[in-house]
Structure formats: C-alpha cells, structure tokens
Amino acid sequence: MRSGPDASLSAGRRVTGSTAGMGRWASVGLGSLLLAVSIGGIVSSSQVSNGIERAEGAVATTDLYQQAGYFVAIEDAELNSYRITLLPADLTAHSTAEDSLDATLSALAAKADGAGALQVAGLVAAHRRYKDLSQQVVKRIDGGQIFQSSELETDAVEPVRDMLAVHLKKLETSQQSSSARALRVASLNGERLRWGTPIAFALTLVVIVGLSRVTRRHRRAVRYQALHDALTGLPNRMLFADRAAHVMAAARRTGAEPVVMMPDLARFQEVNDTFGQRQGDDLLVQVASRVSALVRAGDTVARLGGDKFALLLADGGSNAGSEAAGRILAALEEPFDLDGTAVGLEASIGIATAASEPSPENAPPDDAAQLMQHADAAMYRAKADRSGYAHYLAGADQRTHGHLALLAQLRQAFDHDELVLHFQPKVAADNGEVLGVEALVRWQHPVRGLLPPIAFIELAESTTPIHRLTTVVVDKALTFVRYRLDQGLPMPVAVNVSARGLLDQAFPAKIAAQLAHHGVPAELLWIEITEGTIMADPDKALAILTELRGMGIRLSVDDFGTGYSSMAYLKVLPVDELKVDRTFVKGMTTDEGDAVLVQSAIDLGHNLGLSVVAEGVEDDETLVALKNLGVDVVQGYFLGRPMAPELLDQWIVDRAIVALPR
Ligand code: C2E
Ligand code: CA
Ligand code: CA
C-alpha cells in the first residue's frame, strides 16, 4: 500500500479524464440499443403477424377461385342435365349455381385490387354473358328445340364457360403460389423472430455488462480523484486521515505504534516566488517521489496541500520516526534539479507517536486527527529549534495552536494595515544628541493588542510573500523621515532587515525606488543586519551590501557578539556601525566576562573605523561604564523606549526642555 506517485496512479488519472465522457456515451448507447431492440421486436413480430394475415388472405382467395370454378362446373352440369331430364329441380339447381357464382365473384371483387380487380371484373362480365346465353339455351329446350339448344350450347355457351373455367383455374393457381409465398415469408419471419429475440437479448446483456464495467471504472476514477492529489498522485488529506484512523484502530488491537510525521519545507515558498509556479510544482513532484521512495510498503506519504506533506508509518514508534526523519532530511538536502539549477531544501519534521505504553509526559492521542495535530505542533517546535526534527511533547502545542490562528490573522494584518512602527532614539554617548531612531515594527492586533516583533516576525517572513514585511516597514519608515524633513527636522532612521529580505538581487533596486518615491536622501536611511544574516551567504551579502552602500545607504551590524563573524570578514564589509548586543551590555556591570566582551567589541569597531553602538542600556551605571569604555552611541530604555511617532516628537521636545538648564 506504499503510496508513491507510481505509474498505476498516473494511469488512474488518465482513465479519469476520458471515463466521464465514456460513461455518458455508454448510457446513451445502451438506451439507443434497448430502444432499437424493442422497436425491432415490435416491427418483426408485427411483420410476422402481417405475413400470416396476408397468407391467410391469399389462402381464402384461392378457396374462392376454387369455389367459383366448382360453381361453373355445377352450372354446366345442371344445364346439360335439364336438357335430358327437363326436371324443374335441375333448372333450380342451375340458377342456384349461377347465384352462388355471382356471390363468389363479388366476394372476389371485394378482395381484389389493381390487376386482380380488372380480372374479376372480366370474369363477372363473362358470367353475365354466360347467363344470357344459358337463358337462351333454356328457352330453346323449353321450346322443344333440343337440337338448336345443343347447337347454341356448343357454339356460344361452351366457349364462354371454358373461358370462365380456364381463367378461374389460372387465377386459382397463381393465387395458390402467392399464398404459399406469403406463408413462406411469414414462417421465415417467425423463424427470425424466434432467433432474433434471444440474440438481441444476449446482445443487450453484453452491452449492459460492458457498460457497468465502464461505469465501475469511471466511479473508481472519480473516487481516486477525490482521494488523491492531482499534482503528485499522492493520497490527499482525506485519504491520509482515513488511513491514519484505520491504522490507529488496528494498533489498539495489535499493540503497534503508528507514527505521523509532518515535514515543513522551509525554503519552498522562496523557490516558488523566485523560479515561478511551474518549477515550484516540479519541485513538489520531486519531493513527493524522493520521500515516497524512503518509506516501507504499508506506510503512507500524502500531500495535504501547498507544500504540506505528511507521512504515516504503520508501526515502529518514536525510534522508527527518528530514523525515517533522518533519512528524509538527508534526502531533501540533496540538491533538486530545477531546469538545470540545483536547489536544496531545508526541512523541519514534526513526529507524533501513538505509543502503546504512554510515558507520563506523553499521553497517547485519542484519534488520528489529534495525532496529526501533535505532529504539526512538533513540526513548529522543530522549526523554532532548528533541530531538523522534533517529537511531540504534551504541553508544547499550546503555543502552536495560537501560532496557527495567528498565521491566518497575519495575512489580514497586511491587508488591513495593522502593522505600525515604533521608534527608539539613538543618542550620542558624549553629549546626548539624538542621532537618529531605530524603527521597530509592532502589530496592532484587533483583539490581542500591540504585539512585539518576536510574536510574528518569523511567521511573517516564512509565510508571506518575500519582502512584504520589509517593504511595509521601509515604506512607513520613509514616510516618517519625509514628515520630519517637511518640518525641517531631518532624522536618520534605521530599519531591521532579515536574511530573507536582504539576500535578494533585486533588494537594492527596490530600496532605491522607495527612496525616490518618498524623496528621501539615501544618507537618512540606515539598514541593520545581523551577523547571522551576513554569514548565511557571505558572498551574496557582500555584493548586496556593497551595492547599498554605493547608493549612500548606511549599514549597521546588529546584535554584534552573538554570531561568529570573523575579524577578517568584518574588515571587507562596507559597514558604518557595530551594535553590541544588549545581552552583553546588560551584564557588563555585574559580569566581568561581559564587560571584557563589550570592551573588545568597542576596540574592534574603532580599529575598523566604525562607530560603536551599545544597545539595551537600562540604567545610569551602565551608561557611565559605556562612556568610560569610549562607546559612541547608546540606545536603551534608560534613554528612551521605542515610541509611536507622535510620542517621539513630544519626547524630543521634553528632552530639549530638560537639557536646557544643564
Ligand atoms: P533588535 O534589532 O535588537 O531591536 C532592539 C530590541 O531591543 C527591540 O525589541 C527593543 O524594544 C529592545 N530594547 C531596546 N532598548 C532596550 C532595553 O534597554 N532593554 C531591553 N531589554 N530591551 C531593549 P523589539 O522591538 O521587541 O524587537 C525585537 C527584535 O525584533 C529586534 O531586535 C529586531 O531583531 C526584530 N525587529 C524589530 N523590528 C523589525 C523589523 O521591522 N524587521 C525585522 N526584520 N526585524 C525587526
Ligand atoms: Ca536592530
Ligand atoms: Ca540588536
């Protein structure tokens, strides 16, 4: 039951495309066939009965001709007999025969049509003549002219009578053969009907069986489509959930330990944005086949939608989960070929096990849906910890549920313009002059109030289109600078840009366009990037930073001391400022180590010709210590908290008043 995008699956898809039409045509075909068979049956049975009727009619006509011939003979016989006997009974019999022949001829006339009718009319006329002549014969007999009567009979009556008899015989014979023909046709039709009916029945049966096959195949194809992902051919969410439910039910009987795993493909969205959707789809298909190849028969790999995949291992517990996760991570790190470009994917995998013997901290999930939820929660933890994979731990998902809800709301935050900037002053250590501000983003959440960046930055960067956050922040920061410029109060502003925002070839051009749009000189924009961002791709970072610096933009290395950028590297970076991380600043008055670190960071910066900023200055004592170490700029709650723009204006005014008496 291994579920890979194999040949049979894609064949299943092909079937689906044509079967809908086939099913329709087959029903139409069957309907027509049944109709044809019934019409054929009706026509042929009516043909048979018509044929029989015709044959019967022909036989009856033959009888009439025979009868007529018989009456002609009687007429003749009775006339001859009367000449000999002179008995009135013979005369009566003669005229009865005459009447009978008339009746028979009119019966024939009623039946005959066309040529037949003409012939009968001829017979009727001949009989009329015959009757006239026999009347004269009778008269001569009654007049005692026996010889003359015989002469008349021989010369006139007999030729007419013979003509009548011969014609009647001829007609009788031809009628006989046509009735025999009609009978043959009728019996042939009867025969046909006898064979035709079972043959038509069998044919219909064959069609019905064929049709039901097609329909069954069609139904199977439709069902297949409903349960599989069209792109990869993998089971979809519905089928996955169904299989998970089955496997869990079976596990409760057998004591197996099914595992659900959810991988997250960290850079997929970026690939999709950069290369385009076709390559994105191509990548998903490659991922599907790689992952499918790594699981055993009986395990399921599914695509739940977008770049979300899921795995179901029928048994094996958390160990099997870890092993499979290791294999999958390794397989995904191998570069994928996208139209000749090698692309690697980093994945984070969440693992949840339906353990047969739950440990105290890990209650077994009640159902498949919960197991999937647990895997999802573990995936977020793996992502946050950058640990590759993580097992579900009870209690860890509280945050994750909030996380998912937040994700949906975050998409709206952009559309509803819920992101705002607060500004924190950067102050000269020696004279307290405000040198600029740092823009720090916040989310004015409709329900939860003002959210700090830590609550949503990573989510925004990893789920919204690339640069969307950076674009919004830069736009708002430049609006602020423009506003200050309009008041005649130029104020440099620093924005924070993450790796995702910075490491894009087009980034400098976008910034240039935004500066131009707001009419802000590049010198008033500072960009803060962390050591980590630079080290993610040093060559690319160097190229982009050089371009930005060339435009006149100032650059800061943020959170200095937390990363591991080498002195050699810092030397070649076109940066203006080092910001010593606040964790060291915070500890410097109590922790000797932190103090040494701050001291060496300041010295290093100065040696490279950079301005050194200390962030997170929370008290007077720290400020004094920093001044003594020769720090250039200070930033922190002690000097000023991040503030909404209107509060910042007020802060600057108040500060000027306080500063005046000094
Ligand atoms: P960061 O760049 O190091 O920003 C300074 C952080 O330290 C701010 O937190 C600020 O409120 C806080 N802070 C300032 N003075 C003090 C102090 O005296 N004591 C203490 N304990 N903290 C102080 P915030 O605003 O929560 O920002 C946190 C981080 O979020 C920032 O660290 C920065 O890395 C990131 N961030 C903020 N805005 C943006 C943005 O627009 N884009 C990106 N990519 N990241 C941002
Ligand atoms: Ca910063
Ligand atoms: Ca910092």
Side-chain angles (χ1 to χ4, degrees):
M1 167 166 100
R2 172 177 333 147
S3 313
D6 54 26
S8 65
L9 296 189
S10 44
R13 281 207 301 286
R14 271 201 303 281
V15 165
T16 316
S18 57
T19 41
M22 271 170 73
R24 222 177 6 259
W25 282 113
S27 339
V28 170
L30 178 71
S32 325
L33 187 78
L34 284 176
L35 198 67
V37 166
S38 348
I39 289 175
I42 290 169
V43 166
S44 43
S45 69
S46 89
Q47 250 172 9
V48 168
S49 70
N50 278 350
I52 288 171
E53 234 167 68
R54 243 195 326 274
E56 276 171 0
V59 168
T61 311
T62 312
D63 286 352
L64 284 176
Y65 282 123
Q66 219 168 34
Q67 226 172 13
Y70 168 73
F71 290 133
V72 170
I74 298 282
E75 265 181 291
D76 186 44
E78 291 301 336
L79 194 60
N80 281 328
S81 173
Y82 180 64
R83 197 184 6 247
I84 295 159
T85 62
L86 294 176
L87 282 174
D90 288 345
L91 202 57
T92 312
H94 172 74
S95 61
T96 306
E98 269 181 354
D99 293 345
S100 299
L101 182 56
D102 278 339
T104 306
L105 288 177
S106 36
L108 279 168
K111 281 185 173 241
D113 53 359
L118 267 177
Q119 278 168 331
V120 174
L123 289 174
V124 169
H127 188 228
R128 204 178 305 125
R129 171 119 184 83
Y130 171 82
K131 283 195 296 189
D132 284 350
L133 290 170
S134 41
Q135 206 83 55
Q136 291 174 31
V137 170
V138 169
K139 255 189 208 143
R140 288 188 186 179
I141 293 170
D142 289 347
Q145 302 171 299
I146 300 299
F147 177 70
Q148 287 90 333
S149 77
S150 175
E151 213 173 39
L152 181 64
E153 168 122 20
T154 313
D155 295 345
V157 179
E158 256 177 23
V160 177
R161 194 213 56 202
D162 285 351
M163 191 270 278
L164 256 176
V166 166
H167 260 87
L168 281 170
K169 191 69 204 168
K170 235 202 265 174
L171 287 171
E172 181 199 319
T173 313
S174 96
Q175 193 59 43
Q176 220 162 18
S177 64
S178 93
S179 67
R181 225 178 14 252
L183 265 176
R184 256 203 318 280
V185 169
S187 83
L188 201 70
N189 279 344
E191 194 77 349
R192 272 196 207 133
L193 191 65
R194 197 146 63 88
W195 287 109
T197 307
I199 286 174
F201 177 73
L203 218 75
T204 311
L205 211 66
V206 165
V207 170
I208 288 176
V209 168
L211 185 71
S212 78
R213 279 225 184 118
V214 169
T215 319
R216 210 176 322 131
R217 213 181 322 151
H218 172 63
R219 257 205 308 273
R220 261 206 306 266
V222 167
R223 195 180 127 77
Y224 180 91
Q225 253 180 348
L227 295 177
H228 289 79
D229 164 46
L231 177 67
T232 59
L234 292 178
N236 64 12
R237 181 184 290 276
M238 216 200 302
L239 182 54
F240 185 81
D242 185 56
R243 286 195 184 162
H246 272 104
V247 164
M248 277 189 75
R252 273 192 279 276
R253 289 194 307 273
T254 61
E257 298 184 358
V259 180
V260 165
M261 303 174 46
M262 299 247 180
D264 170 80
L265 308 177
R267 290 185 54 228
F268 174 76
Q269 201 48 49
E270 196 179 320
V271 169
N272 212 41
D273 291 343
T274 314
F275 286 80
Q277 201 196 327
R278 190 181 63 73
Q279 282 82 352
D281 285 355
D282 183 22
L283 183 59
L284 290 174
V285 171
Q286 292 191 49
V287 167
S289 83
R290 263 193 212 179
V291 175
S292 298
L294 293 175
V295 300
R296 285 174 306 197
D299 296 342
T300 298
V301 179
R303 178 172 172 231
L304 306 184
D307 59 349
K308 282 208 93 167
F309 289 86
L311 290 91
L312 173 68
L313 313 185
D315 192 13
S318 52
N319 280 345
S322 299
E323 276 167 26
R327 284 199 302 272
I328 291 166
L329 288 172
L332 294 181
E333 268 167 29
E334 285 294 310
F336 291 88
D337 179 20
L338 285 189
D339 290 350
T341 308
V343 175
L345 279 182
E346 269 169 41
S348 303
I349 302 178
I351 306 170
T353 308
S356 56
E357 285 174 29
S359 55
E361 81 275 10
N362 233 357
D366 294 333
D367 58 13
Q370 205 180 2
L371 188 62
M372 287 169 72
Q373 250 172 33
H374 286 180
D376 203 46
M379 182 264 282
Y380 277 107
R381 206 160 57 76
K383 217 168 134 174
D385 300 349
R386 295 177 194 285
S387 53
Y389 63 84
H391 289 270
Y392 171 76
L393 294 172
D397 63 339
Q398 210 50 37
R399 202 191 78 190
T400 303
H401 285 312
H403 212 76
L404 289 175
L406 207 63
L407 181 59
Q409 294 161 2
L410 186 59
R411 301 213 168 97
Q412 286 193 9
F414 281 99
D415 299 337
H416 298 173
D417 196 23
E418 292 170 4
L419 299 179
V420 296
L421 293 187
H422 280 188
F423 297 94
Q424 184 174 35
K426 290 165 87 173
V427 175
D430 50 1
N431 62 11
E433 190 191 342
V434 180
L435 301 173
V437 287
E438 179 178 10
L440 296 156
V441 72
R442 272 103 185 83
W443 176 7
Q444 189 60 63
H445 190 281
V447 177
R448 295 168 58 189
L450 199 65
L451 298 181
I454 186 137
F456 63 92
I457 286 277
E458 205 212 342
L459 199 60
E461 298 263 43
S462 61
T463 55
T464 55
I466 198 163
H467 306 317
R468 196 165 178 194
L469 178 75
T470 309
T471 304
V472 170
V473 169
V474 170
D475 184 64
K476 289 182 185 295
L478 294 182
T479 303
F480 169 78
V481 178
R482 184 68 250 169
Y483 159 80
R484 302 267 325 172
L485 277 175
D486 290 344
Q487 314 234 316
L489 304 164
M491 170 78 77
V493 68
V495 294
N496 295 277
V497 175
S498 63
R500 213 169 121 91
L502 181 85
L503 297 175
D504 168 30
Q505 232 69 279
F507 179 67
K510 283 182 193 161
I511 294 290
Q514 285 185 296
L515 285 170
H517 174 74
H518 289 279
V520 170
E523 292 66 34
L524 293 182
L525 180 64
W526 287 68
I527 288 178
E528 298 189 5
I529 19 108
T530 63
E531 277 183 282
T533 294
I534 297 162
M535 299 317 286
D537 189 344
D539 293 341
K540 201 166 180 185
L542 177 60
I544 291 169
L545 291 177
T546 306
E547 198 177 343
L548 290 170
R549 191 65 192 81
M551 286 160 54
I553 292 164
R554 305 299 158 90
L555 303 172
S556 293
V557 177
D558 204 356
D559 301 349
F560 186 74
T562 57
Y564 33 79
S565 45
S566 69
M567 166 91 173
Y569 202 76
L570 271 180
K571 230 156 85 175
V572 300
L573 280 180
V575 294
D576 305 275
E577 183 181 85
L578 275 193
K579 295 185 81 171
V580 182
D581 193 72
R582 63 177 178 273
T583 49
F584 309 117
V585 174
K586 194 176 174 188
M588 65 181 285
T589 52
T590 50
D591 185 317
E592 187 63 24
D594 284 348
V596 170
L597 218 144
V598 172
Q599 172 75 74
S600 48
I602 291 169
D603 291 345
L604 174 70
H606 286 168
N607 284 337
L608 293 170
L610 308 176
S611 167
V612 178
V613 183
E615 19 170 52
V617 182
E618 293 187 356
D619 48 46
D620 190 36
E621 194 189 348
T622 309
L623 179 62
V624 171
L626 285 165
K627 275 184 182 172
N628 289 338
L629 292 177
V631 86
D632 304 290
V633 183
V634 282
Q635 184 181 350
Y637 293 168
F638 182 66
L639 300 134
R641 289 185 170 258
M643 293 166 264
E646 56 281 8
L647 291 178
L648 180 75
D649 282 343
Q650 192 56 50
W651 178 86
I652 291 170
V653 172
D654 292 350
R655 193 180 149 78
I657 295 166
V658 172
L660 273 179
R662 283 201 181 170

